[in-house]
Every structure is written in structure tokens, then in C-alpha cells.
Amino acid sequence: MTAQQLEQALDKMAREIVAAAPPNGELAIVGIRRRGESPARRLLPRIAAAGRRVANYGVLDITLYRDDLSTIGPNAVTRGTEIEFDVTDTWLVLVDDVLYTGRSVRAALDALVDLGRPRAIKLAVLVDRGWRELPIQPDFVSLSVKTTAENIVKVKVSEIDGVDGVDLL
Amino acid sequence: MTPDTLERAVWTRKHLITLNELTREEILFILDTAESFKEVSTRSVKKVPALRGRVVVTMFFEDSTRTRLSFELAAQRLSADVIDFAEKMSSTQKGESLIDTARNIEAMGVDIMILRHPASGAPLDLTRAVNCCVVNAGDGQHAHPTQGLLDLFTIRERKGRIDGLNVAIVGDIAHSRVARSDLVGLLKLGAKVWFVGPPTLVPRSFEQLGARVTHDFDAILPEMDVVNMLRIQKERITSNVFPSVREYVKLFGLDRQRLTRCKPDVLIMHPGPVNRGIELAADVADGPQSSILRQVTNGLAVRMAVLFLCQQAAGHPAAAARA
């Protein structure tokens, strides 16, 4: 996926979110640290352009909720959750770059319900690469690809990698 | 938060005994990690599952209120099970040694031991006798690393930096583990540190550790960015190393009069408990420059970070090699 295709994918995702969101009630966009942050932030102006105000934006750190904490050891780096609004009763879209086993999303759901009780939690991902280990499915997907366990799906964003794009290695 | 530090540093220590053995990067890594734990205390569910199923024991062989409670609450906010070893009702009264006691407690399946002990070096001894993590909560006159870390955290939070700041630590330096831990941490992060007090409590020999020693508080006061007032321990007031209380208050007590000679944005710290009217006047302790309660709040986040990082490192081969 090129940088331009990534832009178009985000445009399309924003339109789909606006179409699906209930007309009244608070919309919230939450990116999963660290690679969900950038797509989540880039969705904001697009959702606004599609005619919906997003008052609530935040970033969720799931490190402390991971189910593999005891095996990742010192690689567990916490960067903190930054959700300044009350999630209770919001229609909340969780954003991540790649959906794979579903374990990050499981951790994110646990972290979110510790913050409050959203009216609904939806999942938006740029790439669904399959191989789920938990019963979790996305609501908004830009790209679904068949992969093998050896493949690496790399979503690059200019904030971290200097360039935009999606590579399948 | 400084993302650079989080990017580079990897924490591989299963024990925290002093700040001496830590690099500048490791200290900053703890502070940055603590930054992310502050948020936990602001939510409706003030708990994260990071240490779920782990057992933490607090072993305090000296009296303490805030340090013990702070560690216990920190462990509970990480979802650990916390047990408390009460020395006065225990077999140490029957002559059981610290090491034997600790080994027996460890045999029950403990993951982290938090030790406060009147003997300097006791936590280090403990690391050689047990396999679990050991966190020093204050040993003799030696070190109080989590107090040092929370002081650094509070200074950085209020001042935005530590590098280049002038910090005075005032009081009974000779007997203070807080002064030693503060000194080590502050020097590593680039501050200048003055030890201030009467010659009997602040010997010149501290200059060998990198501190500047002065017995004239008023002379340095206008230059200080941070003034940390240590508690005068009552038991020392009657000993002959101590001047009269009146003389001490006159020369080294921080009252409103002396505060007017400080920089307007000076940060006043105290590790607690405060002797109001001795080292700190009540209106200064409660004034806008004071960070005393902030230090207590931050202590919780710092201790959560320490418990989390040591436990994470415990299962790691590099930590085993280092221990």
C-alpha cells in the first residue's frame, strides 16, 4: 500500500465511521499505543470533514493489561494512557494498525472498561491479516490480506518511520 | 515524558538497593515509567492487572507510616497480593535472624520483598540470601532509594528539569539516608547540591561525595531553586551533637522571614513527618511553594514503577546474571 492509498483508506474509513455512528451521543476515537495513535489522530480531521464533530480523542496504553507480561520481561515499556474525557456513554472507536491474534484488542477492552462504561466499543484497523486466537472481529477494515505466520505486516507512519505506507514482508 | 529515554533504556535489575549503581538513563527510565502510572490513580477503577497473582511482602524493622502505606498501596494498585510482616509480633523476637526469617517467608512463594531495616546494608545482604526481588525501603543511614526517586520526580515535575538546578538539603545530614539518596540522584542528573547544617551534623567529609558543604544557610539561600528540609529527629535533640532547638531554628529553620529571601519560585520539600515550628514554620509547610503532599502523591507512582520494573526484570536472563 502506498502513502497515497493509505490516505484514501483513511478517508474511506472516516466516512464509514460517520455513517455508522448513531446521530446523537458522543463519538470518541481512541488509538492503541503505539502504532494505533497515528491512524486514530489522522481520522479526526477526516471525520470532521465528513460532517461529524469529534470532541473526544485519546490514547490507550495496554502494556499493563497484556497477557504475556511475564514472558516479555524488560521489553514492557509503559508510555501511559492519555484519555482526558469520560468514556462512559460514548460511542467509542478503538483504532489500531494491524489486527492479528486479537490479544492487543482483548487487553484494550479490559483497559477501557476500567475507565468507564462506553455505550458501544467498535474496532477499526488498517490491516486485518487473519490468524485470530480470540473471538474478536473488526467493524472497520481498510485492507484484508491472507498471510502466513512468517509474514510481517508493517504499517509505516511518518511520525515514527518517516514515511507512510503498508509493507507485506 | 521524554520518549528518547523510553526508546533506549531497558531495565534489567530485579533489585533496587541504592541509586549509586543506577546510570543516569536508568534513573530517567524509572521516572518516565512512573509518569505513566500517575494516571492510574486518577481513574474510577484505580487498579491495573500488571502484578496479578504476584505476592509482595513488606518487612519493616523500623517504624514508618507513609513509606509502608505507600508501598502497600502501590502493590495493591498493581493487583499484587500484599502481606505484611510485623516485626514486633514475630519470631525475630525469639531471636530468628533476618536471613532465616526472609528465607522462610520466601518459601511461602513471595515475589517481591520490601525491606526497611536499621542496619545499613541489610537489603544487600538479603539479595544474596533469597531469589525474589528485593526493594530497599530505607536501611540505617545508608540509602532510601525510592524517597530519592520521588524527590527527583517531584523536582522535575515542578521545575521542568533537574539539570543545572541549585538544591539545598538542610538538617541532620550525618544521619540521613534521604540526604544520601537525594545527593546521588541529583548529581547524576546534573544538579548542584549543598548540604547545610551545623558542623556536628554536616561534616566537611561529605565534600568527597560531591556535595558542597556550608554551615551558613542565609549565605546560599537566594541562589537556591530547591530547598529540601530534613526532619530533625527528636532523639538527637538531647544529644551533644545538637545545638539548642532555639539556636537551630534561628540558624536553619525555614520560616516566612527566611522565605522572603528565597527565589520567588523556590520549591520547598520535606520527606516528612514535619516538626512544625522547628525545621519548617507551619505557614511555610502549607504555603504555595511547598511540595510536601505532592511528594507523597508522587511516591505512590514511583513505587508502582519500581515494583513493576523489578518484577518484569526478574524473569529475564540478564537480570539473573546481574543479581
Side-chain angles (χ1 to χ4, degrees):
Chain A
M1 209 184 231
T2 63
Q4 200 194 349
Q5 285 167 328
L6 184 66
E7 296 287 312
Q8 288 163 354
L10 285 165
D11 287 339
K12 181 161 168 285
M13 182 177 279
R15 289 195 300 272
E16 288 170 0
I17 289 171
V18 171
N24 37 30
E26 293 269 342
L27 179 60
I29 304 291
V30 172
I32 298 179
R33 280 217 201 278
R34 193 162 174 237
R35 299 218 159 241
E37 283 177 64
S38 165
R41 197 166 44 242
R42 291 182 196 196
L43 279 172
L44 298 177
R46 294 177 160 85
I47 291 171
R52 188 67 193 258
R53 202 179 66 95
V54 186
N56 306 310
Y57 165 74
V59 181
L60 190 66
D61 186 311
I62 60 164
T63 313
L64 302 170
Y65 290 82
R66 290 176 60 148
D67 58 7
D68 56 354
L69 257 186
S70 58
T71 54
I72 60 172
N75 295 319
V77 174
T78 60
R79 294 166 196 273
T81 287
E82 289 165 30
I83 293 182
E84 308 289 324
F85 60 92
D86 184 1
V87 301
T88 298
D89 289 335
T90 57
W91 196 84
L92 191 150
V93 182
L94 200 54
V95 183
D96 207 353
D97 60 342
V98 179
L99 181 59
Y100 187 16
T101 61
R103 288 177 190 269
S104 300
V105 177
R106 196 283 307 161
L109 291 173
D110 278 357
L112 275 179
V113 297
D114 274 358
L115 297 176
R117 186 179 187 278
R119 179 171 158 195
I121 302 175
K122 300 290 172 183
L123 178 61
V125 297
L126 289 174
V127 182
D128 178 357
R129 60 167 296 185
W131 295 91
R132 218 78 76 237
E133 293 170 2
L134 296 170
I136 282 169
Q137 300 307 334
D139 300 285
F140 309 101
V141 194
S142 295
L143 179 67
S144 291
V145 285
K146 280 209 163 33
T147 61
T148 66
E150 285 73 39
N151 286 141
I152 295 170
V153 177
K154 178 90 181 152
V155 174
K156 293 177 297 185
V157 292
S158 50
E159 292 94 326
I160 304 174
D161 311 291
V163 287
D164 283 340
V166 179
D167 293 340
L168 177 62
L169 307 168
Chain B
M1 179 162 341
T2 50
D4 286 357
T5 319
L6 291 176
E7 218 59 76
R8 283 195 311 269
V10 169
W11 182 265
T12 55
R13 297 176 187 276
K14 63 188 271 199
H15 310 301
L16 178 67
I17 306 303
T18 73
L19 298 186
N20 296 66
E21 63 260 25
L22 304 189
T23 64
R24 171 192 157 82
E25 282 67 34
E26 285 175 313
I27 292 174
L28 289 171
F29 185 69
I30 301 176
L31 300 185
D32 289 344
T33 303
E35 209 59 71
S36 67
F37 281 106
K38 253 178 21 177
E39 172 265 333
V40 175
S41 298
T42 66
R43 335 166 151 179
S44 59
V45 178
K46 296 180 181 55
K47 230 173 160 103
V48 289
L51 292 191
R52 200 176 57 182
R54 305 287 173 186
V55 181
V56 173
V57 59
T58 54
M59 302 169 64
F60 276 56
F61 291 83
E62 261 182 21
D63 292 337
S64 157
T65 313
R66 81 209 67 219
T67 305
R68 177 197 283 253
L69 283 178
S70 178
F71 266 115
E72 287 182 359
L73 191 54
Q76 287 176 0
R77 294 223 161 140
L78 295 169
S79 302
D81 296 318
V82 183
I83 52 175
D84 172 35
F85 168 83
E87 190 223 351
K88 292 197 171 60
M89 293 179 286
S90 74
S91 292
T92 53
Q93 297 295 314
K94 302 178 190 167
E96 189 177 36
S97 76
L98 167 66
I99 298 302
D100 279 336
T101 305
R103 283 190 173 136
N104 277 280
I105 293 175
E106 190 188 28
M108 296 177 200
V110 167
D111 297 287
I112 303 177
M113 285 185 182
I114 298 165
L115 179 67
R116 167 165 291 189
H117 203 278
S120 299
L124 186 62
D125 277 349
L126 192 59
T127 62
R128 296 175 182 136
V130 296
N131 290 316
C132 63
C133 304
V134 176
V135 176
N136 182 5
D139 60 330
Q141 298 165 11
H142 176 226
H144 193 351
T146 56
Q147 179 73 41
L149 289 167
L150 76 89
D151 286 345
L152 293 173
F153 188 94
T154 305
I155 294 171
R156 192 174 74 159
E157 180 186 71
R158 288 281 289 259
K159 292 284 174 191
R161 70 194 166 104
I162 290 172
D163 194 46
L165 291 181
N166 295 331
V167 181
I169 304 177
V170 185
D172 183 0
I173 305 290
H175 302 97
S176 172
R177 56 193 173 215
V178 175
R180 284 169 177 75
S181 285
D182 278 353
L183 174 70
V184 171
L186 286 165
L187 291 180
K188 287 194 181 197
L189 298 191
K192 291 189 198 128
V193 182
W194 279 260
F195 278 169
V196 186
T200 46
L201 299 178
V202 189
R204 285 267 160 213
S205 53
F206 276 109
E207 287 173 348
Q208 290 165 21
L209 298 179
R212 292 144 207 252
V213 170
T214 180
H215 312 302
D216 186 351
F217 192 18
D218 288 318
I220 61 154
L221 202 53
E223 302 303 317
M224 292 300 116
D225 300 295
V226 179
V227 177
N228 191 0
M229 304 299 294
L230 300 180
R231 184 175 73 95
I232 289 304
Q233 289 164 300
K234 294 258 168 60
E235 57 271 27
R236 301 215 196 282
I237 294 179
T238 52
S239 75
N240 54 12
V241 297
F242 201 83
S244 73
V245 171
R246 231 185 75 170
E247 184 189 347
Y248 184 87
V249 172
K250 191 157 172 272
L251 291 173
F252 302 106
L254 188 55
D255 56 13
R256 186 180 293 211
Q257 225 281 312
R258 203 163 251 138
L259 188 62
T260 59
R261 293 203 292 276
C262 293
K263 288 185 178 178
D265 63 344
V266 68
L267 181 63
I268 308 294
M269 308 180 77
H270 193 295
V274 179
N275 296 310
R276 285 170 183 261
I278 300 183
E279 65 266 8
L280 268 186
D283 54 351
V284 177
D286 302 328
Q289 287 100 339
S290 162
S291 66
I292 298 174
L293 295 178
R294 195 76 218 151
Q295 287 170 268
V296 177
T297 306
N298 289 340
L300 193 58
V302 165
R303 291 186 174 110
M304 285 172 77
V306 167
L307 295 177
F308 173 69
L309 291 174
C310 288
Q311 174 60 46
Q312 281 304 114
H316 194 260
R322 212 164 190 168

